[in-house]
C-alpha cells in the first residue's frame, strides 16, 4: 500500500509515523505523500511524527516535515513532531529554521496527549 | 434564487455548500456572492464548504474560498472548509498558500461538530 519504507500505523484515532532511518530527499517526499494518503484513507484527526531515530535533519527534510504538517492541517488534521534530538534542534535553530505550523512534543506519549488535548478543546470543554 | 450552480443548503442552523464541479474564476466569484447572500438571508451562524469533489484548486480559487470565509466571519459566521484532498493540500502548501482565517476539518460531519463547538464556546463562558 505504501510507496515508502516508513511505517504509518493507526493507533486509536491517531496516525503514528516512526522514522527510523535517515531520510534523503526522495524518501522524505515519498513519506509526505504516504502520510497524506493515509490521512485521507483513515480519516485520522491527529498525526504524530516520531523522529527520535534521526541523528541529522537537513533543512530540506525539515521543510518537508513541516510542510507535511501544514498540508495535514489543510485537510483537517493536527500534526505533532516528537523526539527531536538536542543536536538536531540546535542545528535547525542556528540555520534560522522554525517549525511553524506543527506542534512539537518530547516523545510519542506526550504527542498523543497533546493531540487529545487539542481535540477536546476543539470538541468542547 | 441563486446565480451559481453550487447548491447551498440550510441544515440545522448551518449552511452547507457542497462544491461538486471544478470552479473557474467566474463560478468561484458567483459562489462567493451566493454564499454571502445566503448568510444574510438565512442568518446562519455557521458555514461548511465541502470541497471533496475538487481534484484541483488553483490559488485564485483558494483565495476566493478563504476570502469568503473571512467575509463570512465579518458578518458573524464561522466557516469550516472540509474534504480537501491530499494533492490539493500539497499543491497549496508548496505554493506558499495558507488558509488563514478559515477552519479546516476532515469531512462534513467533523465540520458540523467543529462549528457546534465554536458556537458553544462562544455562547458559553
Amino acid at each position: 500500500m505504501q510507496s515508502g519504507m516508513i511505517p504509518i500505523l493507526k493507533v486509536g484515532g491517531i496516525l503514528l509515523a516512526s522514522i527510523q532511518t535517515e531520510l534523503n530527499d526522495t524518501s522524505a517526499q515519498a513519506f509526505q505523500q504516504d502520510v497524506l494518503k493515509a490521512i485521507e484513507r483513515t480519516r485520522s484527526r491527529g498525526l504524530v511524527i516520531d523522529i527520535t531515530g534521526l541523528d541529522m535533519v537537513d533543512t530540506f527534510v525539515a521543510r518537508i516535515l513541516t510542510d507535511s504538517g501544514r498540508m495535514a492541517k489543510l485537510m483537517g488534521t493536527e500534526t505533532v513532531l516528537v523526539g527531536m534530538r538536542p543536536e538536531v534542534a540546535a542545528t535547525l535553530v542556528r540555520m534560522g529554521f522554525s517549525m511553524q505550523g506543527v506542534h512539537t512534543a518530547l516523545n510519542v506519549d506526550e504527542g498523543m496527549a497533546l493531540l487529545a488535548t487539542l481535540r477536546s478543546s476543539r470538541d468542547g470543554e
Side-chain angles (χ1 to χ4, degrees), chain A residues 55-124:
Chain A
D55 290 325
M56 217 182 68
V57 175
D58 63 27
T59 46
F60 185 86
V61 168
R63 176 163 301 282
I64 287 194
L65 292 176
T66 46
D67 278 357
S68 304
R70 291 198 195 104
M71 293 166 189
K73 175 75 183 160
L74 287 183
M75 295 173 68
T77 302
E78 297 285 349
T79 300
V80 186
L81 195 73
V82 307
M84 190 183 292
R85 296 180 159 259
E87 312 81 47
V88 173
T91 311
L92 289 178
V93 168
R94 277 189 209 114
M95 290 189 294
F97 197 88
S98 81
M99 291 269 168
Q100 217 166 10
V102 299
H103 307 277
T104 49
L106 281 170
N107 53 36
V108 173
D109 281 348
E110 301 263 340
M112 295 279 201
L114 176 56
L115 282 175
T117 314
L118 289 169
R119 189 161 163 173
S120 69
S121 72
R122 209 174 121 154
D123 290 349

